[in-house]
Amino acid sequence: MKKRRRRSPKRLVRFLFLLLCVFLGAYFLSGGLAIFSAHTWQAAGDFLPRPEQHPPSNTLTDDSDDTISERLSRIVFLKRAVNSRLDRSHYTRIDEIPTSMQQAVVAVEDKRFYDHHGFDIEGIMRATLVNLQQGEIDEGASTITQQLVKNLFLTHERSFGRKAEEFLLSLAMEFNYSKDEILEMYLNTIYYGSNFYGIEEAAEGYFGKRPSELQLPEAAMLAGLPNAPSLYSPYVDFMMAKKRQFVVLDAMVRAGYIDKTIAEDAKIKPIYLAH
């Protein structure tokens, strides 16, 4: 298994600098300095990377009417807010989820998950450059932490204020929870298509198995679904699901989690769906 790298002092300095920038941005947004009009903020927001289009884990999630005090309370009392959103009736602990499933998700969704502090600076810069080159918001840079925050609390509104809130919540999430806890919550809340929310429903719904029983080919297929659940669901288009599975397995090879021989073997193993 690939060893997790420790966060270097240089990364910490860069993180603290970015944290300062985020808080200054939040200060501006709250009316601290009225040097920008609402139109200007909206225009700036249009150049930000688009968030991943995942349905929220809780269909009642709608922050559009939340007051500023409610949003601040959510950040300050994050754990209480998180607990109110999680569905513990269908919840699988991280030690009951195969390592291959965890690695597959990290490899394909957020390869720097164990190194960043909630958002991937390099990914944001790359996505912003692509968006500017194409003249439209076409590529996102959401980390696993950001996706979790959006699934739990936020709508898919595209604005600077919405993105700033996402950054602050992601920072709070990283400070309050370990990486394993964040990954555990992500796996239990993400949408896998075909009306399956969370790893337990997805494993049972697609393969008739408990999460702990998933094999590498099945784990790789599941890990590929959240990117576009309605497109990659094996119940919708099995060949598209297989192509996406190949992408995930190749990403695992590049990340050093498995070697090419294991990946190629997993690609040809048959997949048996529950229905």
PDB file of all heavy atoms in Angstrom, residues 61-72:
ATOM      1  N   THR A  61     -32.042  18.941   2.092  1.00  0.00           N
ATOM      2  CA  THR A  61     -30.992  19.939   2.200  1.00  0.00           C
ATOM      3  C   THR A  61     -31.272  21.110   1.268  1.00  0.00           C
ATOM      4  O   THR A  61     -31.368  20.944   0.073  1.00  0.00           O
ATOM      5  CB  THR A  61     -29.623  19.334   1.852  1.00  0.00           C
ATOM      6  OG1 THR A  61     -29.331  18.303   2.781  1.00  0.00           O
ATOM      7  CG2 THR A  61     -28.529  20.387   1.917  1.00  0.00           C
ATOM      8  N   ASP A  62     -31.398  22.296   1.834  1.00  0.00           N
ATOM      9  CA  ASP A  62     -31.616  23.503   1.047  1.00  0.00           C
ATOM     10  C   ASP A  62     -31.199  24.688   1.895  1.00  0.00           C
ATOM     11  O   ASP A  62     -31.885  25.069   2.834  1.00  0.00           O
ATOM     12  CB  ASP A  62     -33.083  23.629   0.639  1.00  0.00           C
ATOM     13  CG  ASP A  62     -33.331  24.835  -0.257  1.00  0.00           C
ATOM     14  OD1 ASP A  62     -32.361  25.582  -0.518  1.00  0.00           O
ATOM     15  OD2 ASP A  62     -34.487  25.027  -0.676  1.00  0.00           O
ATOM     16  N   ASP A  63     -30.043  25.263   1.564  1.00  0.00           N
ATOM     17  CA  ASP A  63     -29.517  26.347   2.381  1.00  0.00           C
ATOM     18  C   ASP A  63     -29.879  27.713   1.827  1.00  0.00           C
ATOM     19  O   ASP A  63     -29.388  28.725   2.306  1.00  0.00           O
ATOM     20  CB  ASP A  63     -27.991  26.227   2.498  1.00  0.00           C
ATOM     21  CG  ASP A  63     -27.289  26.491   1.174  1.00  0.00           C
ATOM     22  OD1 ASP A  63     -27.947  26.354   0.119  1.00  0.00           O
ATOM     23  OD2 ASP A  63     -26.093  26.834   1.193  1.00  0.00           O
ATOM     24  N   SER A  64     -30.748  27.768   0.830  1.00  0.00           N
ATOM     25  CA  SER A  64     -31.029  29.031   0.157  1.00  0.00           C
ATOM     26  C   SER A  64     -31.680  30.053   1.079  1.00  0.00           C
ATOM     27  O   SER A  64     -31.538  31.257   0.869  1.00  0.00           O
ATOM     28  CB  SER A  64     -31.922  28.782  -1.069  1.00  0.00           C
ATOM     29  OG  SER A  64     -33.128  28.148  -0.690  1.00  0.00           O
ATOM     30  N   ASP A  65     -32.417  29.598   2.104  1.00  0.00           N
ATOM     31  CA  ASP A  65     -33.112  30.521   2.997  1.00  0.00           C
ATOM     32  C   ASP A  65     -32.404  30.682   4.341  1.00  0.00           C
ATOM     33  O   ASP A  65     -32.933  31.329   5.242  1.00  0.00           O
ATOM     34  CB  ASP A  65     -34.552  30.039   3.236  1.00  0.00           C
ATOM     35  CG  ASP A  65     -35.378  30.052   1.952  1.00  0.00           C
ATOM     36  OD1 ASP A  65     -35.154  30.954   1.128  1.00  0.00           O
ATOM     37  OD2 ASP A  65     -36.224  29.155   1.788  1.00  0.00           O
ATOM     38  N   ASP A  66     -31.231  30.094   4.504  1.00  0.00           N
ATOM     39  CA  ASP A  66     -30.511  30.197   5.764  1.00  0.00           C
ATOM     40  C   ASP A  66     -30.010  31.620   5.984  1.00  0.00           C
ATOM     41  O   ASP A  66     -29.532  32.277   5.054  1.00  0.00           O
ATOM     42  CB  ASP A  66     -29.314  29.241   5.786  1.00  0.00           C
ATOM     43  CG  ASP A  66     -29.744  27.788   5.877  1.00  0.00           C
ATOM     44  OD1 ASP A  66     -30.946  27.550   6.083  1.00  0.00           O
ATOM     45  OD2 ASP A  66     -28.874  26.912   5.741  1.00  0.00           O
ATOM     46  N   THR A  67     -30.092  32.092   7.226  1.00  0.00           N
ATOM     47  CA  THR A  67     -29.576  33.411   7.559  1.00  0.00           C
ATOM     48  C   THR A  67     -28.068  33.330   7.769  1.00  0.00           C
ATOM     49  O   THR A  67     -27.490  32.243   7.889  1.00  0.00           O
ATOM     50  CB  THR A  67     -30.235  33.931   8.843  1.00  0.00           C
ATOM     51  OG1 THR A  67     -29.858  33.072   9.937  1.00  0.00           O
ATOM     52  CG2 THR A  67     -31.753  33.953   8.708  1.00  0.00           C
ATOM     53  N   ILE A  68     -27.420  34.499   7.830  1.00  0.00           N
ATOM     54  CA  ILE A  68     -25.976  34.537   8.056  1.00  0.00           C
ATOM     55  C   ILE A  68     -25.639  33.911   9.398  1.00  0.00           C
ATOM     56  O   ILE A  68     -24.665  33.160   9.524  1.00  0.00           O
ATOM     57  CB  ILE A  68     -25.465  35.990   7.993  1.00  0.00           C
ATOM     58  CG1 ILE A  68     -25.591  36.532   6.567  1.00  0.00           C
ATOM     59  CG2 ILE A  68     -24.010  36.058   8.456  1.00  0.00           C
ATOM     60  CD1 ILE A  68     -25.155  37.971   6.419  1.00  0.00           C
ATOM     61  N   SER A  69     -26.443  34.186  10.427  1.00  0.00           N
ATOM     62  CA  SER A  69     -26.174  33.624  11.750  1.00  0.00           C
ATOM     63  C   SER A  69     -26.292  32.105  11.740  1.00  0.00           C
ATOM     64  O   SER A  69     -25.519  31.404  12.407  1.00  0.00           O
ATOM     65  CB  SER A  69     -27.139  34.217  12.784  1.00  0.00           C
ATOM     66  OG  SER A  69     -28.483  33.893  12.464  1.00  0.00           O
ATOM     67  N   GLU A  70     -27.252  31.586  10.973  1.00  0.00           N
ATOM     68  CA  GLU A  70     -27.412  30.134  10.874  1.00  0.00           C
ATOM     69  C   GLU A  70     -26.214  29.505  10.179  1.00  0.00           C
ATOM     70  O   GLU A  70     -25.744  28.433  10.571  1.00  0.00           O
ATOM     71  CB  GLU A  70     -28.701  29.803  10.123  1.00  0.00           C
ATOM     72  CG  GLU A  70     -29.964  30.075  10.927  1.00  0.00           C
ATOM     73  CD  GLU A  70     -31.226  29.922  10.099  1.00  0.00           C
ATOM     74  OE1 GLU A  70     -31.162  30.091   8.858  1.00  0.00           O
ATOM     75  OE2 GLU A  70     -32.276  29.631  10.694  1.00  0.00           O
ATOM     76  N   ARG A  71     -25.705  30.174   9.171  1.00  0.00           N
ATOM     77  CA  ARG A  71     -24.550  29.638   8.448  1.00  0.00           C
ATOM     78  C   ARG A  71     -23.294  29.690   9.306  1.00  0.00           C
ATOM     79  O   ARG A  71     -22.477  28.769   9.278  1.00  0.00           O
ATOM     80  CB  ARG A  71     -24.352  30.415   7.144  1.00  0.00           C
ATOM     81  CG  ARG A  71     -25.525  30.260   6.190  1.00  0.00           C
ATOM     82  CD  ARG A  71     -25.302  30.923   4.857  1.00  0.00           C
ATOM     83  NE  ARG A  71     -26.477  30.763   4.009  1.00  0.00           N
ATOM     84  CZ  ARG A  71     -26.472  30.896   2.695  1.00  0.00           C
ATOM     85  NH1 ARG A  71     -25.354  31.184   2.063  1.00  0.00           N
ATOM     86  NH2 ARG A  71     -27.578  30.738   1.995  1.00  0.00           N
ATOM     87  N   LEU A  72     -23.131  30.767  10.069  1.00  0.00           N
ATOM     88  CA  LEU A  72     -21.986  30.862  10.972  1.00  0.00           C
ATOM     89  C   LEU A  72     -22.088  29.813  12.077  1.00  0.00           C
ATOM     90  O   LEU A  72     -21.089  29.198  12.460  1.00  0.00           O
ATOM     91  CB  LEU A  72     -21.903  32.263  11.573  1.00  0.00           C
ATOM     92  CG  LEU A  72     -21.466  33.382  10.630  1.00  0.00           C
ATOM     93  CD1 LEU A  72     -21.544  34.732  11.336  1.00  0.00           C
ATOM     94  CD2 LEU A  72     -20.049  33.144  10.119  1.00  0.00           C
TER      95      LEU A  72
END
